């Protein structure tokens, strides 16, 4: 139940981030909906395809489609108000990332993959919806050149795998790992942390 | 037979639209061929992958590859003449979209998916070859910001599902649905119909 | 053994080409790693997905991930020196292409596909990592408008299929085909060969 609700919170917040990206590009309603959709389910879809779990999740369960349709309609109707929700949206988004990461790790465990591949699948699940969104919007994916986003996912995924080996109740493992993802992201944004700069000048291009 | 012929008409017209897009980007012969190929089979490939129908259709049946090779060669040889064929090409393209939509819906029915997912698969089959074409050509996909294209597919797919439930012969259901797709697209282009504008200024960007 | 070593040589050289592309776009460390990764394994991943060989190869064997991590770290540390390695890198890359082509052809044979589809899979395996790299870096894929790259792969794949039908030992077939790929590419680069120009002006755009 908690799981299902937070999963859909993640879908909602990712879909909204897709709507915002699409509006910036002046796409029409259909374009806005498609970008919202791929942002919300793209990471999980790539994960399922790499694993061979097909038909992919959202084809088998209409709740994703309906959630995204309702989100897009509401986001378009109230888009002037979205800026007042910035903090809530950021929080939803961060919870979504945390949850998506753990879902991906779990799928890797189920498929008997190595620890490093479980972490990889968690990161793909959380990050690659945004990669598809940016690629379709004709931008270099934002997570390739800004924000400690993937780092938070990787840390949470590693923590989850480690905690699972300890005699800790499953719920605690789950919550602690999500808290790690959220904390790293919040701290990074709050204090402007970034990955070590590999360019001396510090100037960034590609936008 | 009718089915097979119209299927290949769709492949031909999609391949030509790929050739035209690639020529605009000054790609070399190999680039032109690849863009033609992904435009013609991209939508069906994505559908098959989402469903887990693998190896994908065109890997198992050479007729797609040969049709596309011949189309590309002819389109390159007679490319000065293509502009005189504009109306025929538009018609082929529209028939192709209609047929691709119904093929996608049928695959969804075969896989026991819900009605909304059958419509989704039909739309993906008809529209996503063009999405891949535009993404590889480094453009925002044209169907995200112009023309009632997806709307025609969705309407045809819904009509097909409804007619199937009535005591109507299969051929009639099939033809009526294609006619709906074609009519909506022709009317939309003829009368300049577009989705409701969600931008007050009416200015569109992203090109 | 020879096979495994050359395979990893291909991974290394493709990963380095990814690092170089990512550095040009000023991506951060995570972005550099992802681009290196998709360049090295992208072609094989697309091949596996089209065939339905899932989980895809690199999910089941950590050696690809570790090889790419080490390559990226070394390439970043010594990136000032990479220009002195240009010739070696070009050679690795060309060997990599040859080997990837044959791996792709072999997978097609295993899956009982037609000759033309085996050649297609070989070309996809060798060329589409670069296509994904360029698409994510927001460029039109370089192999669509420059260099006889795909032509070398196609020729090598055809040669491999022909030699396999003759009473030639497997090793000779294998080596001869790789030599063909390498020779065509070296000759093309040395003598500036290109596909027949289909644009009279000779001016190329799209960059």
């Amino acid at each position: 139940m908690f799981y299902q609700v937070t999963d859909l919170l993640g879908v909602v917040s990712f879909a909204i981030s897709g709507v915002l990206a699409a509006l910036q590009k002046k796409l029409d309603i259909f374009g806005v909906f498609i970008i919202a959709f791929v942002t919300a389910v793209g990471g999980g879809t790539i994960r399922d395809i790499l694993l061979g779990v097909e038909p992919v999740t959202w084809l088998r369960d209409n709740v994703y489609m309906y959630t995204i349709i309702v989100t897009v309609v509401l986001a378009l109707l109230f888009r002037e108000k979205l800026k007042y929700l910035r903090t809530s949206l950021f929080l939803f988004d961060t919870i979504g990332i945390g949850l998506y990461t753990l879902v991906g790790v779990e799928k890797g465990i189920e498929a008997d993959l190595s620890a490093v591949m479980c972490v990889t699948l968690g990161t793909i699940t959380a990050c690659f919806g945004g990669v598809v969104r940016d690629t379709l919007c004709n931008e270099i994916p934002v997570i390739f050149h800004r924000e400690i986003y993937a780092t938070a996912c990787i840390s949470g995924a590693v923590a989850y795998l480690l905690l699972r080996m300890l005699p800790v109740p499953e719920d605690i493992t789950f919550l602690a790992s999500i808290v790690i993802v959220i904390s790293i992201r919040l701290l990074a944004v709050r204090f402007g942390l970034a990955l070590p700069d590999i360019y001396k000048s510090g100037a960034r291009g590609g936008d």
Side-chain angles (χ1 to χ4, degrees), chain A:
Chain A
M1 181 59 201
F2 168 75
Y3 183 95
Q4 180 81 20
V5 168
T6 48
D7 185 13
L8 291 184
L9 270 185
V11 169
V12 167
S13 69
F14 281 159
I16 292 178
S17 100
V19 169
L20 295 174
L23 287 176
Q24 273 192 331
K25 293 284 175 177
K26 304 275 185 208
L27 303 189
D28 67 17
I29 293 179
F30 180 74
V32 169
F33 172 74
I34 296 291
I35 299 294
F37 194 85
V38 300
T39 310
V41 306
T45 301
I46 293 175
R47 177 202 65 219
D48 285 353
I49 290 172
L50 293 172
L51 279 171
V53 178
E54 293 156 336
V56 299
T57 314
W58 58 266
L59 271 180
R60 283 170 293 148
D61 188 350
N62 287 345
V63 72
Y64 296 97
M65 175 65 87
Y66 295 144
T67 303
I68 295 168
I69 290 176
V70 171
T71 302
V72 170
V73 170
L74 291 177
L76 285 177
L77 286 178
F78 299 105
R79 83 197 120 113
E80 300 303 326
K81 306 280 174 1
L82 281 178
K83 54 176 171 278
Y84 302 113
L85 294 173
R86 190 171 289 181
T87 314
S88 321
L89 283 177
F90 179 74
L91 211 64
F92 283 6
D93 189 45
T94 306
I95 296 171
I97 290 164
L99 189 86
Y100 276 33
T101 303
L102 301 194
V103 172
V105 173
E106 271 298 335
K107 299 263 179 173
I109 294 170
E110 274 168 40
D112 253 333
L113 297 181
S114 63
V116 67
M117 287 307 155
C118 292
V119 174
T120 303
L121 283 182
T123 309
I124 288 175
T125 308
C127 296
F128 271 60
V131 170
V132 179
R133 174 197 64 212
D134 295 344
T135 302
L136 288 180
C137 283
N138 206 11
E139 299 282 345
I140 293 183
V142 69
I143 66 155
F144 293 173
H145 57 106
R146 219 180 294 150
E147 261 197 66
I148 297 210
Y149 192 104
T151 313
C153 300
I154 295 169
S155 312
V158 170
Y160 184 74
L161 287 177
L162 291 175
L163 286 170
R164 274 182 90 252
M165 296 190 299
L166 301 177
V168 176
E170 218 178 300
D171 287 0
I172 305 287
T173 299
F174 190 82
L175 279 172
S177 309
I178 292 216
V179 166
I180 286 172
V181 175
I182 297 177
S183 312
I184 293 181
R185 188 153 185 235
L186 291 181
L187 288 171
V189 169
R190 179 72 187 76
F191 296 106
L193 302 181
L195 290 175
D197 190 2
I198 49 179
Y199 306 95
K200 269 143 212 160
S201 74
R204 277 173 196 258
D207 287 292

Coordinates of all heavy atoms in Angstrom, one line a residue, chain A residues 90 93-102 105 119 122-124 126-127 143 146-160 176-189 193-195:
Chain A
F90 N 9.6 19.2 -5.9 CA 11.0 18.7 -5.7 C 11.0 17.5 -4.7 O 11.7 16.6 -4.9 CB 11.9 19.9 -5.2 CG 13.3 19.5 -4.9 CD1 14.1 19.3 -6.0 CD2 13.7 19.3 -3.6 CE1 15.5 18.9 -5.8 CE2 15.0 18.9 -3.4 CZ 15.9 18.7 -4.5
D93 N 9.5 14.5 -6.4 CA 10.5 14.0 -7.4 C 11.6 13.2 -6.7 O 12.0 12.1 -7.1 CB 11.1 15.2 -8.1 CG 12.0 14.8 -9.3 OD1 11.5 13.9 -10.1 OD2 13.1 15.3 -9.4
T94 N 12.1 13.7 -5.6 CA 13.2 13.1 -4.9 C 12.7 11.8 -4.3 O 13.4 10.8 -4.3 CB 13.7 14.0 -3.8 OG1 14.1 15.3 -4.4 CG2 15.0 13.5 -3.1
I95 N 11.5 11.7 -3.7 CA 10.9 10.5 -3.2 C 10.8 9.5 -4.4 O 11.1 8.3 -4.3 CB 9.6 10.7 -2.5 CG1 9.7 11.6 -1.3 CG2 8.9 9.4 -2.1 CD1 8.4 12.1 -0.7
G96 N 10.3 10.0 -5.5 CA 10.1 9.2 -6.7 C 11.5 8.5 -7.1 O 11.5 7.3 -7.3
I97 N 12.5 9.3 -7.1 CA 13.8 8.8 -7.5 C 14.2 7.7 -6.5 O 14.7 6.6 -6.9 CB 14.9 9.9 -7.5 CG1 14.6 10.9 -8.6 CG2 16.3 9.4 -7.6 CD1 15.3 12.2 -8.4
G98 N 14.1 8.0 -5.2 CA 14.4 7.0 -4.2 C 13.7 5.7 -4.4 O 14.3 4.6 -4.5
L99 N 12.4 5.8 -4.6 CA 11.6 4.6 -4.8 C 11.9 3.8 -6.1 O 12.1 2.6 -6.1 CB 10.1 4.9 -4.8 CG 9.3 3.7 -4.7 CD1 9.1 3.3 -3.3 CD2 8.0 3.9 -5.5
Y100 N 12.0 4.6 -7.2 CA 12.3 4.0 -8.5 C 13.7 3.2 -8.4 O 13.8 2.1 -8.9 CB 12.5 5.0 -9.6 CG 11.1 5.4 -10.2 CD1 9.9 5.4 -9.5 CD2 11.1 5.8 -11.5 CE1 8.8 5.8 -10.1 CE2 9.9 6.2 -12.1 CZ 8.7 6.2 -11.4 OH 7.6 6.6 -12.0
T101 N 14.6 3.8 -7.6 CA 15.9 3.1 -7.5 C 15.7 1.8 -6.8 O 16.3 0.8 -7.3 CB 16.9 4.0 -6.6 OG1 17.0 5.3 -7.2 CG2 18.2 3.3 -6.5
L102 N 15.0 1.7 -5.7 CA 14.8 0.5 -5.0 C 14.0 -0.5 -5.8 O 14.3 -1.7 -5.8 CB 14.2 0.7 -3.7 CG 15.0 1.7 -2.7 CD1 14.4 1.6 -1.3 CD2 16.5 1.4 -2.8
V105 N 16.5 -2.0 -8.2 CA 17.4 -3.0 -7.5 C 16.7 -4.3 -7.2 O 17.3 -5.4 -7.5 CB 17.9 -2.4 -6.1 CG1 18.7 -3.4 -5.4 CG2 18.8 -1.1 -6.4
V119 N 22.6 -2.4 -8.8 CA 22.8 -1.0 -8.6 C 22.6 -0.3 -10.0 O 21.9 0.8 -10.1 CB 24.2 -0.7 -8.1 CG1 24.4 0.8 -8.0 CG2 24.3 -1.3 -6.7
G122 N 18.9 -0.1 -10.8 CA 18.2 0.9 -9.9 C 18.5 2.3 -10.5 O 17.5 3.1 -10.6
T123 N 19.7 2.5 -10.9 CA 20.1 3.9 -11.4 C 19.3 4.1 -12.7 O 18.8 5.2 -13.0 CB 21.6 4.0 -11.6 OG1 22.2 3.6 -10.3 CG2 22.0 5.4 -11.9
I124 N 19.3 3.1 -13.6 CA 18.6 3.2 -14.9 C 17.1 3.5 -14.7 O 16.5 4.4 -15.3 CB 18.8 2.0 -15.7 CG1 20.2 1.9 -16.3 CG2 17.8 1.9 -16.9 CD1 20.5 0.6 -17.0
A126 N 15.7 5.0 -12.2 CA 15.4 6.3 -11.6 C 15.8 7.4 -12.6 O 15.2 8.5 -12.6 CB 16.2 6.5 -10.3
C127 N 16.9 7.2 -13.4 CA 17.4 8.3 -14.2 C 17.1 8.3 -15.6 O 17.1 9.4 -16.2 CB 19.0 8.3 -14.1 SG 19.6 8.5 -12.4
I143 N 21.0 15.2 -16.6 CA 21.8 14.4 -15.5 C 23.2 14.1 -16.0 O 24.0 13.6 -15.2 CB 21.1 13.1 -15.1 CG1 21.1 12.1 -16.2 CG2 19.8 13.3 -14.5 CD1 21.1 10.7 -15.7
R146 N 24.8 18.1 -14.8 CA 24.4 19.0 -13.7 C 23.8 18.1 -12.6 O 23.2 17.1 -12.8 CB 23.3 20.0 -14.2 CG 23.4 21.3 -13.6 CD 22.3 22.3 -14.2 NE 22.4 22.5 -15.6 CZ 21.4 22.8 -16.4 NH1 20.2 22.7 -15.9 NH2 21.5 23.0 -17.7
E147 N 24.0 18.6 -11.4 CA 23.3 18.0 -10.2 C 23.8 16.6 -9.8 O 24.1 15.8 -10.7 CB 21.8 17.9 -10.4 CG 21.1 19.0 -9.8 CD 19.6 18.6 -9.7 OE1 19.3 17.7 -8.9 OE2 18.8 19.2 -10.3
I148 N 23.9 16.4 -8.5 CA 24.3 15.0 -8.0 C 23.0 14.3 -7.9 O 22.3 14.3 -6.9 CB 24.9 15.2 -6.6 CG1 26.2 15.9 -6.7 CG2 25.1 13.8 -6.0 CD1 27.2 15.5 -5.7
Y149 N 22.6 13.6 -9.0 CA 21.3 13.0 -9.1 C 21.6 11.5 -9.1 O 21.1 10.7 -8.3 CB 20.7 13.5 -10.4 CG 19.3 13.2 -10.6 CD1 18.3 14.2 -10.5 CD2 18.9 11.9 -11.1 CE1 17.0 13.9 -10.8 CE2 17.6 11.7 -11.3 CZ 16.6 12.7 -11.2 OH 15.3 12.4 -11.5
A150 N 22.4 11.1 -10.1 CA 22.8 9.7 -10.2 C 23.5 9.2 -9.0 O 23.4 8.1 -8.5 CB 23.6 9.4 -11.4
T151 N 24.4 10.1 -8.4 CA 25.2 9.7 -7.2 C 24.2 9.4 -6.1 O 24.5 8.4 -5.3 CB 26.1 10.9 -6.8 OG1 26.7 11.4 -8.0 CG2 27.1 10.5 -5.8
A152 N 23.2 10.1 -5.9 CA 22.2 9.8 -4.9 C 21.6 8.4 -5.1 O 21.5 7.6 -4.1 CB 21.1 10.9 -4.8
C153 N 21.2 8.1 -6.3 CA 20.6 6.8 -6.6 C 21.6 5.7 -6.4 O 21.3 4.7 -5.8 CB 20.3 6.7 -8.1 SG 19.1 8.0 -8.6
I154 N 22.9 5.9 -6.8 CA 23.9 4.8 -6.7 C 24.1 4.6 -5.2 O 24.1 3.4 -4.7 CB 25.2 5.2 -7.4 CG1 24.9 5.2 -8.9 CG2 26.3 4.2 -7.1 CD1 26.0 5.9 -9.7
S155 N 24.2 5.6 -4.4 CA 24.4 5.5 -2.9 C 23.3 4.8 -2.3 O 23.5 3.9 -1.4 CB 24.6 6.9 -2.3 OG 25.5 7.6 -3.0
G156 N 22.1 5.1 -2.6 CA 20.9 4.5 -2.0 C 20.8 3.0 -2.4 O 20.5 2.2 -1.6
A157 N 21.2 2.7 -3.6 CA 21.1 1.3 -4.1 C 22.2 0.5 -3.4 O 21.9 -0.7 -2.9 CB 21.4 1.3 -5.6
V158 N 23.4 1.0 -3.2 CA 24.4 0.3 -2.5 C 24.0 0.1 -1.0 O 24.1 -1.0 -0.5 CB 25.8 1.1 -2.5 CG1 26.8 0.5 -1.6 CG2 26.3 1.1 -4.0
A159 N 23.5 1.1 -0.4 CA 23.0 1.0 1.0 C 22.0 -0.1 1.1 O 22.0 -0.9 2.1 CB 22.4 2.4 1.5
Y160 N 21.0 -0.1 0.2 CA 20.0 -1.1 0.2 C 20.5 -2.5 0.2 O 20.1 -3.4 1.0 CB 19.0 -0.9 -1.0 CG 17.8 -1.8 -1.0 CD1 16.7 -1.6 -0.1 CD2 17.7 -2.8 -1.9 CE1 15.6 -2.4 -0.2 CE2 16.6 -3.6 -2.0 CZ 15.6 -3.4 -1.1 OH 14.5 -4.2 -1.2
A176 N 15.3 3.3 5.2 CA 16.7 3.9 5.4 C 17.3 4.2 4.0 O 17.9 5.3 3.9 CB 17.5 2.9 6.2
S177 N 17.1 3.3 3.1 CA 17.7 3.6 1.8 C 17.1 4.7 1.1 O 17.8 5.6 0.4 CB 17.6 2.3 0.9 OG 18.0 1.2 1.6
I178 N 15.8 4.8 1.1 CA 15.1 6.0 0.5 C 15.6 7.3 1.2 O 15.9 8.3 0.5 CB 13.6 5.9 0.6 CG1 13.1 4.7 -0.3 CG2 12.9 7.2 0.2 CD1 11.8 5.0 -1.0
V179 N 15.7 7.2 2.5 CA 16.2 8.4 3.3 C 17.6 8.8 2.8 O 17.9 10.0 2.6 CB 16.1 8.2 4.8 CG1 16.9 9.2 5.5 CG2 14.7 8.1 5.3
I180 N 18.4 7.8 2.5 CA 19.8 8.2 2.0 C 19.7 8.9 0.7 O 20.4 9.9 0.5 CB 20.6 6.9 1.9 CG1 21.0 6.4 3.4 CG2 21.9 7.1 1.1 CD1 21.7 5.1 3.4
V181 N 18.9 8.4 -0.2 CA 18.8 9.0 -1.5 C 18.3 10.5 -1.4 O 18.9 11.4 -1.9 CB 17.8 8.2 -2.5 CG1 17.6 9.0 -3.8 CG2 18.3 6.8 -2.7
I182 N 17.2 10.6 -0.6 CA 16.7 11.9 -0.4 C 17.7 12.9 0.3 O 17.8 14.0 -0.1 CB 15.4 11.8 0.5 CG1 14.3 11.0 -0.3 CG2 14.8 13.2 0.8 CD1 13.0 10.8 0.4
S183 N 18.4 12.4 1.3 CA 19.3 13.2 2.0 C 20.4 13.7 1.1 O 20.8 14.9 1.1 CB 19.9 12.5 3.2 OG 18.9 11.8 4.0
I184 N 21.0 12.8 0.4 CA 22.1 13.2 -0.5 C 21.6 14.2 -1.5 O 22.3 15.3 -1.7 CB 22.7 12.0 -1.2 CG1 23.4 11.0 -0.2 CG2 23.7 12.4 -2.3 CD1 24.0 9.8 -0.8
R185 N 20.5 14.0 -2.0 CA 20.0 15.0 -3.0 C 19.7 16.3 -2.4 O 20.1 17.4 -2.9 CB 18.8 14.4 -3.7 CG 18.4 15.3 -4.9 CD 17.7 14.7 -6.0 NE 17.5 15.6 -7.1 CZ 16.4 16.0 -7.6 NH1 15.3 15.4 -7.2 NH2 16.3 16.9 -8.6
L186 N 19.0 16.3 -1.2 CA 18.7 17.6 -0.6 C 20.0 18.3 -0.2 O 20.1 19.5 -0.4 CB 17.8 17.3 0.7 CG 16.4 16.8 0.4 CD1 15.7 16.7 1.7 CD2 15.6 17.8 -0.5
L187 N 20.9 17.6 0.4 CA 22.2 18.2 0.8 C 22.9 18.8 -0.4 O 23.5 19.9 -0.3 CB 23.1 17.2 1.6 CG 22.6 16.9 3.0 CD1 23.4 15.7 3.5 CD2 22.6 18.1 3.9
A188 N 22.9 18.0 -1.5 CA 23.7 18.5 -2.7 C 23.1 19.7 -3.2 O 23.8 20.7 -3.5 CB 23.6 17.4 -3.7
V189 N 21.7 19.8 -3.3 CA 21.1 21.0 -3.8 C 21.3 22.2 -2.8 O 21.6 23.3 -3.2 CB 19.6 20.7 -4.1 CG1 18.8 22.0 -4.4 CG2 19.5 19.7 -5.2
L193 N 26.5 21.1 -3.9 CA 27.6 20.1 -4.2 C 27.5 19.6 -5.6 O 26.4 19.6 -6.2 CB 27.4 18.9 -3.3 CG 27.4 19.2 -1.8 CD1 27.2 17.9 -1.0 CD2 28.7 19.9 -1.4
A194 N 28.6 19.3 -6.2 CA 28.6 18.8 -7.6 C 29.7 17.7 -7.6 O 30.6 17.6 -6.7 CB 28.9 19.8 -8.6
L195 N 29.7 16.9 -8.6 CA 30.8 16.0 -8.8 C 32.1 16.8 -9.1 O 32.1 17.9 -9.5 CB 30.5 15.1 -10.1 CG 29.4 14.1 -9.9 CD1 29.1 13.4 -11.2 CD2 29.7 13.1 -8.8

